[in-house]
Amino acid sequence: MKNIKRLILILAYVVLSTWGVSDFVSAKIMNSRDIEIRAKEKKNIPRSILPVRAWVDGKTVCVTFFDLPNTATVRITNMENGEVLTKTYQSPETVSILLLNGEYEIQITYGQDSFIGYFDL
């Protein structure tokens, strides 16, 4: 009789613990994608690892700076209507910019480094 009680308790524990797991396992489905960024350098020296990463998450453009510059400028140009959005940041780590639908060019500049990429929303 003790073994049957243990078996029922173990079975109840397993059923209840797996039943509640779906609430904890469900995650936000992200609509994010990387923007291909290239170094815009005057020299012909290729860079394999860039110190910036840019991506689109829904209608937001995010830029992460891996080497933490003192000042950085992010310039986003709407390729359809020519509208330009320029923002300068002091000691940025990650910045976010909300945009509308369209085709865009992003230019990220700090110090002597300049990076460029294209994306659409």
Side-chain angles (χ1 to χ4, degrees), residues 7-103:
L7 183 60
I8 291 173
L9 285 174
I10 291 172
L11 182 62
Y13 176 75
V14 169
V15 168
L16 290 175
S17 65
T18 57
W19 195 1
V21 168
S22 64
D23 294 333
F24 297 113
V25 174
S26 64
K28 176 183 173 187
I29 296 175
M30 304 278 298
N31 183 19
S32 65
R33 62 189 190 282
D34 281 339
I35 299 171
E36 185 177 334
I37 298 289
R38 297 177 187 257
K40 183 180 175 184
E41 298 183 31
K42 295 177 180 154
K43 308 173 226 163
N44 289 330
I45 302 170
R47 295 184 75 157
S48 58
I49 299 175
L50 299 178
V52 296
R53 175 182 175 239
W55 71 97
V56 175
D57 185 5
K59 302 257 185 226
T60 304
V61 175
C62 303
V63 180
T64 294
F65 299 87
F66 298 119
D67 54 1
L68 306 175
N70 291 330
T71 303
T73 301
V74 178
R75 180 177 185 228
I76 299 177
T77 304
N78 185 321
M79 302 301 285
E80 295 169 354
N81 63 18
E83 182 179 330
V84 178
L85 173 67
T86 303
K87 292 191 175 191
T88 301
Y89 301 93
Q90 300 296 318
S91 302
E93 187 173 330
T94 299
V95 298
S96 301
I97 303 166
L98 187 62
L99 297 173
L100 300 174
N101 289 337
E103 294 180 20

